[in-house]
Amino acid sequence: MSQEIVIAKKEFLDLLNSRLVLLALLLYTLILLPMVYAFFTGNTFGSDRASTFLHILTLSLCYYGSLIAIAVGLSSISEELDRKSINTLLVKPVYRDTIINGKIMGMIGFTLCITLFTTLIYIIILFVIFGNSINIYILNFLGKLPFVFILSILCFIFFFALTLLICINIREPSLAMLLSFLSWIFLCYLLPNVMFTSYFSSYISFILGDPSLNQYLQVTISDLSPTTMVFRIFLNITDNMSLIDVLDNNIFEILKLSLYCIITAFLAYISFIRRDIA
Amino acid sequence: MRAIISIIKNEFLLICRNPIVIIFCAIIVLFAIHNALACYVLLPKMQFIDHNEAFYIGIGNFFWIISLLFAFLSMCLAITSIASERSSNSIRVLLTKPIYRKDIIISKFVSISIFEFLLIILTVVLLVSLMMAVYGGPTSAIELILRMASFSILLFLNCSFTLGLIFLLSILLKRSEAMMISIIFITVEWLGQIQVLPYLPNGLDIIDPMTLYIHAFAVTPGIDLFRPSLSFNTWLNNAVPFVLLMLLEVVIIVLVNCIAFNREEA
């Protein structure tokens, strides 16, 4: 365990000292500021203000944060494999799964830091734009924040593990980068896209000769996306629900996300242990 | 001049052999088949609109996703061409040759641009051919060719600007940082659909590349190049200033790249 903590600490400090932190915070600020301002001017969301504020934050952390997870994964493993610096680690008397554990733990620590900083920036943006009028919602908002952290960490772990899996199996760094982003486009952009899924389900049901399958296929395909899972969670959250109620109502979606993380991390483990890195 | 042509040729061949391009082409083919199959099933049901309108609706479906995929391709190729070569120091071999630094950058830019233009043309031809095979073509072939050629040029100019911008990032920053900022740019512009320069006064926001691309493509929301109700001449009259501005942006970014690469320690 101590070896894993050493690797995790090194990974965490490397990530924190890199400019990736500043760039990640810049991305979040660029995304959150117009979204909050649009909400302030248009009031396009529902009447549950605290839930809406949580929704905006969670969508940003999960949707755009998964891109950051991919970038972290690429810089963490792809560059090390390309420069052969991972060989230095592999000659030490450590198990290979210790290395992966350490990297994932380091990444979780980095994610927590980024999420905390982003939440702070978000709260500042809310106070700047809304002023004191959000005082009545802020406690409700803060009370449900642990749920947001759980969701964002699960999304981060899933995309980080997916990027690890791709980078371990594909040596060419640029190809690994392209495939990682394409997988993100597919999972977070295409699958929730109504036009894409309706087209896909329409000709599948046409081929199968049963038009009644269309709607069912469309919903099933769309539900495979982590973004859709997060979106569905927030359809059911209202201001008068406590954190326990929120967790209780959405346990199935959280388990689905966790399953995604476990499967991809497991496949990354198997690949890293079996594959000849040198 | 001979050196420039040989760099262009070499870079072009390297790109053609790059696995990224092969994967990308496979995705385009899959997407074209997906679009064609969907149009085969759904378009005949749209009997309330005429054949031409339905045909262009089927083609217009791929506008956004194709533009996004080509933006990603530009990013990957730019990072492979400059940032990866800088990080592996293989660009130093080229710098020892008796060739100006600006010629190196221009040659790389031109070769990737030529490649992207050819790929855009092939993609559009594939998508339109499949559409015509499953649904039949529009009444006017010349209109179709003009509109598709215009779309290809717009997409090419947009990709060239993206390419030039990411070249600049790759010259100034390390690979991981260049990659991160490129992702931010593409995410914010294409997926967030937020202007990179949102706080400019009205009118000046036109320099934002996404705004320019959309304005060149569409006269107003819903009335665009893929609407047969909008005559091609009307579209062209509206689009010419935006196209010229896109061209100017590409030229400026290439010049900035030349200056940055000249000053940068490789």
Side-chain angles (χ1 to χ4, degrees), chain A residues 84-97:
Chain A
K84 311 281 183 206
S85 50
I86 203 161
N87 290 352
T88 314
L89 204 52
L90 289 171
V91 301
K92 305 290 178 198
V94 288
Y95 289 108
R96 284 197 175 196
D97 54 343

Side-chain angles (χ1 to χ4, degrees), chain B residues 123-142:
Chain B
T123 304
V124 169
V125 165
L126 175 68
L127 282 160
V128 171
S129 313
L130 283 174
M131 267 296 296
M132 286 171 68
V134 301
Y135 189 64
T139 47
S140 171
I142 294 175

Side-chain angles (χ1 to χ4, degrees), chain A residues 263-276:
Chain A
I263 291 172
T264 40
F266 181 68
L267 289 171
Y269 272 112
I270 302 288
S271 302
F272 192 61
I273 287 166
R274 294 183 67 89
R275 198 159 168 87
D276 182 15

Side-chain angles (χ1 to χ4, degrees), chain A residues 177 181-182 184 189 199 203, chain B residues 27 34 61 64 179 183 191:
Chain A
M177 179 174 67
F181 287 125
L182 285 176
W184 184 87
Y189 187 73
Y199 275 24
Y203 63 75
Chain B
I27 288 166
H34 158 81
N61 291 333
W64 197 254
M179 194 171 58
I183 294 163
L191 300 171

Side-chain angles (χ1 to χ4, degrees), chain A residues 18-20 23-24 26-27 30-31 33-35 63-64 67-68 70-72 74-75 78-79 82 172-175 177-179 181-182 184-185 189-190 195-200 202-203 206-207 214, chain B residues 18-20 23-24 27 31 33-35 37-42 57 61 64-65 68-69 72-73 75-76 79-80 84 87 173 175-177 179-181 183-184 187-188 190-194 196 199:
Chain A
S18 73
R19 282 189 239 182
L20 278 177
L23 296 173
L26 175 67
L27 170 67
L30 277 176
I31 299 295
L33 200 53
M35 280 171 81
Y63 190 67
Y64 300 104
L67 282 170
I68 293 171
I70 290 174
V72 167
L74 285 169
S75 74
S78 179
E79 300 218 341
D82 191 40
E172 171 64 37
S174 311
L175 185 57
M177 179 174 67
L178 178 71
L179 285 176
F181 287 125
L182 285 176
W184 184 87
I185 291 176
Y189 187 73
L190 284 180
M195 199 170 75
F196 180 82
T197 48
S198 67
Y199 275 24
F200 188 74
S202 66
Y203 63 75
F206 178 79
I207 290 167
N214 193 355
Chain B
N18 196 326
I20 291 175
I23 304 260
F24 185 81
I27 288 166
F31 186 75
I33 294 170
H34 158 81
N35 193 54
L37 280 175
C39 291
Y40 176 68
V41 173
L42 292 173
I57 286 174
N61 291 333
W64 197 254
I65 189 67
L68 173 64
L69 286 173
F72 264 108
L73 179 70
M75 179 184 89
C76 294
I79 287 181
T80 312
S84 299
S87 66
L173 304 168
R175 187 167 68 177
S176 55
E177 290 157 6
M179 194 171 58
M180 188 67 199
I181 298 185
I183 294 163
I184 290 173
T187 309
V188 167
W190 286 97
L191 300 171
Q193 294 177 40
I194 300 164
V196 169
Y199 308 115

